[in-house]
Amino acid sequence: MKIIYSPSVYVVGRQTLAEDGLSEFLSDHGVTWSSDSEVPAEVLTETAGRICYLSFAAPRPGGNAAYLGHIKEVGHGSVLEHSVWNIIVTGVSRSLTHELVRHRVGVSPSQLSQRYVDESVAEYVCPPDLREEIEAAKVRLKEDWGEKECYEFEFNETLDWPNLTDKERAGLWWLRSMSRSHQDYVYLAHYLTEKANKKNAESKLTKTESRKFARQAARSVLPNATETKVFLTINGRAARHLLSLRGSRHADPEIRILATAIFDALRLESPNLFGDFVKEPLPDGTFELKTPYEKC
Ligand SMILES: Cc1cc2nc3c(=O)[nH]c(=O)nc-3n(C[C@H](O)[C@H](O)[C@H](O)COP(=O)(O)OP(=O)(O)OC[C@H]3O[C@@H](n4cnc5c(N)ncnc54)[C@H](O)[C@@H]3O)c2cc1C
């Protein structure tokens, strides 16, 4: 049973520009134009915006950065929907993805299935506000028990230890809860697999159906902290909306940390679409994301 402390964000897909198609369009309309950006998502959003007023012939100074800055300033957010990324997020909890999938527009998730995938190898995500406690408990476990993993402990016993600090006790309490749920899942998955095998004799379940039968019921005891992975396809406008809402100080710290990590990745992908966000430090050591163009 492993504890995860921070999410990982992998950008696995980005747009390419079909330069031949764009040149053909410009030539058919008797204009020559090229963007000063080398980022396809930025060129495509600028092209989409320029289509609205056919403003390719005499662009204002400032290039792509100024153009997209103006789009954000006047709130023409739909133009930003023409930029798209594919991102894989790992090391996040099921409670985080429950919040993430509330973003219904411009965000398409494909998430690890607990019905098909065996969670007996699951890892658990430490809530940022319990990190100190969990780290203190792990140090204490190591000091008193050596190199054993925490699922090997009799946790009732550990909670009776003398001289536990409040922090250590709280951390142990959390670890105990994860460990118990984990063991309950393993036991129930095993029990339900046996049950599926008996059922199989009567109704000829396929192997996949048997596994699904066992795991879909056993997963009911897994905690919100269970680690999950999600593939997101997200457009620039939806990403900005997500960064504003989930990068806010009012968001849960775990999703705020993820929003910051997504921002770090997308700012590298497209400085002109995301560079207006700034990271402002919060007292808990995390960052809040702020932009003057929140509504875009
Ligand atoms: C700090 C915080 C606390 C929260 N607490 C709770 C909570 O306690 N309980 C809870 O249930 N949720 C909670 N949420 C989730 C929140 O209510 C939203 O569901 C979530 O943030 C997604 O936002 P959204 O609907 O704007 O995004 P999207 O679903 O991506 O929608 C984007 C935009 O499209 C438009 N839109 C989308 N769907 C429609 C529609 N059907 N009709 C008209 N316009 C539409 C809206 O303008 C919307 O802002 C919380 C969110 C935050 C950030």
Side-chain angles (χ1 to χ4, degrees):
M1 197 184 83
K2 262 204 190 155
I3 310 302
I4 297 179
Y5 293 99
S6 54
S8 299
V9 171
Y10 308 87
V11 176
V12 295
R14 56 177 73 90
Q15 291 169 297
T16 55
L17 180 67
E19 289 185 33
D20 50 345
L22 182 57
S23 300
E24 193 181 347
F25 161 78
L26 292 168
S27 145
D28 285 352
H29 290 77
V31 280
T32 51
W33 170 79
S34 65
S35 174
D36 65 347
S37 168
E38 290 181 358
V39 177
E42 294 178 350
V43 179
L44 288 165
T45 43
E46 182 178 353
T47 307
R50 291 196 180 282
I51 282 282
C52 300
Y53 303 117
L54 278 183
S55 62
F56 295 97
R60 286 190 194 153
N64 182 272
Y67 189 86
L68 294 182
H70 179 68
I71 293 280
K72 289 184 275 188
E73 196 180 344
V74 295
H76 288 175
S78 65
V79 171
L80 311 183
E81 292 166 19
H82 299 292
S83 57
V84 180
W85 282 270
N86 310 102
I87 295 172
I88 298 177
V89 172
T90 66
V92 293
S93 67
R94 290 281 294 197
S95 47
L96 180 147
T97 54
H98 190 77
E99 294 184 348
L100 193 61
V101 299
R102 296 296 306 281
H103 292 263
R104 300 156 291 173
V105 182
V107 190
S108 308
S110 295
Q111 185 170 1
L112 180 140
S113 166
Q114 290 187 328
R115 296 179 76 204
Y116 287 89
V117 175
D118 176 18
E119 290 284 25
S120 66
V121 290
E123 297 175 344
Y124 296 92
V125 177
C126 161
D129 289 334
L130 276 176
R131 183 174 185 145
E132 286 174 30
E133 286 77 1
I134 291 162
E135 282 180 341
K138 288 187 85 177
V139 169
R140 185 66 196 261
L141 280 170
K142 202 165 179 183
E143 278 169 12
D144 290 28
W145 291 83
E147 294 298 330
K148 281 185 179 179
E149 287 293 335
C150 47
Y151 57 78
E152 294 178 64
F153 297 101
E154 265 306 324
F155 272 96
N156 281 336
E157 201 183 320
T158 59
L159 293 174
D160 290 340
W161 277 349
N163 308 323
L164 278 179
T165 64
D166 288 348
K167 255 187 200 168
E168 289 168 342
R169 184 174 289 103
L172 282 170
W173 209 277
W174 188 86
L175 287 168
R176 181 183 69 158
S177 179
M178 296 306 114
S179 173
R180 277 195 177 165
S181 306
H182 191 88
Q183 289 172 41
D184 292 346
Y185 172 85
V186 172
Y187 167 77
L188 289 171
H190 176 74
Y191 164 79
L192 286 158
T193 303
E194 301 279 295
K195 189 171 168 181
N197 289 342
K198 281 187 205 139
K199 228 171 135 71
N200 209 359
E202 299 151 23
S203 53
K204 294 266 174 283
L205 294 176
T206 63
K207 262 193 179 164
T208 306
E209 284 168 339
S210 299
R211 280 199 287 263
K212 196 171 71 177
F213 172 83
R215 290 169 189 169
Q216 69 193 7
R219 68 174 171 165
S220 60
V221 297
L222 288 171
N224 265 341
T226 308
E227 191 259 352
T228 185
K229 305 173 202 303
V230 60
F231 186 111
L232 296 175
T233 296
I234 188 163
N235 74 50
R237 185 187 200 181
R240 292 180 56 85
H241 186 58
L242 193 142
L243 297 183
S244 288
L245 289 183
R246 304 303 181 172
S248 137
R249 67 179 61 210
H250 305 295
D252 179 287
E254 190 196 351
I255 201 165
R256 186 167 63 246
I257 290 167
L258 174 68
T260 310
I262 291 177
F263 165 62
D264 289 339
L266 290 182
R267 182 179 45 179
L268 284 179
E269 288 291 316
S270 170
N272 293 348
L273 282 168
F274 298 102
D276 51 298
F277 280 94
V278 288
K279 287 201 297 198
E280 289 187 358
L282 292 173
D284 66 359
T286 64
F287 292 92
E288 174 168 48
L289 295 176
K290 288 213 158 158
T291 170
Y293 313 125
E294 209 160 276
K295 297 274 176 248
C296 191

